[in-house]
Structure formats: structure tokens, C-alpha cells
Amino acid sequence: LEGTPLPFVECVSACEGNVYGPGFCDEDHEEQAKAVWDVNAEYPLMMNGVEDIQGCKIAAKDSDYKAKWKAFQALGEWVCVPNPDGGSPITAKTSRGHGPGVCGTVALYTLSKEKGSPVIAQFQLDTRAWSQEASATTHLCPTGSPCAGGQGCIQPYAVTVDWPAGEELPADWKAGECV
């Protein structure tokens, strides 16, 4: 690839000395991180941030973040969502962690497009990254599967969900498993 080199070394160096280990940026290192990496970037996922189940730490937030987070938590463990490939709705396990956008972005993830494959609906709680940090990782990669303990080198299929500001939930989402 040609173009401007991405600041990998600078990003890791910017957050040295935090309690989470090399490459992690926490709220105490927010200014250093922002000096070398746009935490709202829509270019390659690189920077790792500390996620917090209570909310976003250093990344930008969706304009309707608080309302969406509250509504997402109210869904419970399962949600019935439209199938991105068309056809009957699919059941997804709710999850939280990193994601493809800003805090408050919701995306569907699966490791296979075969019918009946596990799917998670993940609410993004920190910087734009995909390091398989998901509260529902074991749903995608159960014990005994080739990806158990994390997805390893398996790239997930991901679809960002359209959730307009002011809408209680994304279109046609229903709490609970599909019937």
C-alpha cells in the first residue's frame, strides 16, 4: 500500500505506563492518544482503548448515545433482528465491547453465513477497534470450537445497524428470541 504510514509505534508509545499494558489507552492518556491518532477515525482499526461496561471512556459518542445504551440494555439477553441477507429474522445474543464506529454504534457479527450460525448484536462502548472484545465472545466461539478463547485469525462478518437518532430501537428489532 502506498500513502501515509499509519502511526502504529506512536500510538503504542502514547499510552505507555498505563495499568492495562502496552497499546491500551485509558482516560488518563486521552490527550496523548488524540495527539497521534484520531479516535473517531473511519480508517483502519488500530488503537486499542479500555472499554467500560458502564460507558464510553475516550472515544466519540453517537449523538443519541445515552438513550441508545439504555434501550439496548433493556433488550435483555436476546434480540430478534432482520436478517441482513434477507429472509426470516434471526436471533442474536446481545453483547457489548469494541466496534466499527463510535460509542453507541451497533453491529451484527457472525463467523459464518451458514444458516443457524451464532450471531451477536454488539453495542460499541469504546474506540473503533475489533479485537474480539465482546461480552458474548463465547456465543460466537464456544468451548471446544477452533476459535475458543477469542476469534484468533478468523475475520468476522459484520454489518453496522442503522439506528436513527430519536428511534427507540433499530427498525423491526424485538426483545427476545425470534419465534
Side-chain angles (χ1 to χ4, degrees), residues 29-178:
H29 294 81
E30 180 174 3
E31 293 309 312
Q32 296 97 303
K34 287 181 177 178
V36 296
W37 184 255
D38 179 357
V39 296
N40 308 318
E42 292 295 331
Y43 44 84
L45 310 181
M46 180 177 78
M47 185 174 170
N48 204 355
V50 177
E51 59 195 63
D52 184 328
I53 61 168
Q54 299 303 314
C56 189
K57 290 285 188 182
I58 68 171
K61 294 179 182 161
D62 180 272
S63 62
D64 216 10
Y65 171 78
K66 286 185 180 179
K68 288 180 177 180
W69 179 224
K70 184 176 179 179
F72 190 83
Q73 289 175 302
L75 285 170
E77 187 177 359
W78 301 97
V79 61
C80 183
V81 302
N83 186 332
D85 291 330
S88 300
I90 56 175
T91 298
K93 186 169 182 69
T94 57
S95 184
R96 61 191 183 276
H98 287 303
V102 297
C103 288
T105 298
V106 174
L108 300 176
Y109 297 96
T110 186
L111 299 179
S112 170
K113 291 187 135 196
E114 290 182 31
K115 186 176 180 167
S117 295
V119 176
I120 62 172
Q122 176 123 315
F123 190 93
Q124 184 172 333
L125 284 178
D126 215 325
T127 51
R128 186 174 187 264
W130 185 256
S131 50
Q132 192 54 24
E133 292 173 37
S135 61
T137 296
T138 56
H139 181 65
L140 286 181
C141 297
T143 302
S145 71
C147 62
Q151 78 188 35
C153 294
I154 300 169
Q155 179 68 37
Y157 293 95
V159 175
T160 302
V161 174
D162 182 31
W163 189 351
E167 295 292 323
E168 185 176 337
L169 287 172
D172 300 320
W173 278 42
K174 295 177 180 51
E177 296 184 52
C178 301

Side-chain angles (χ1 to χ4, degrees), residues 27 121 149:
E27 59 275 15

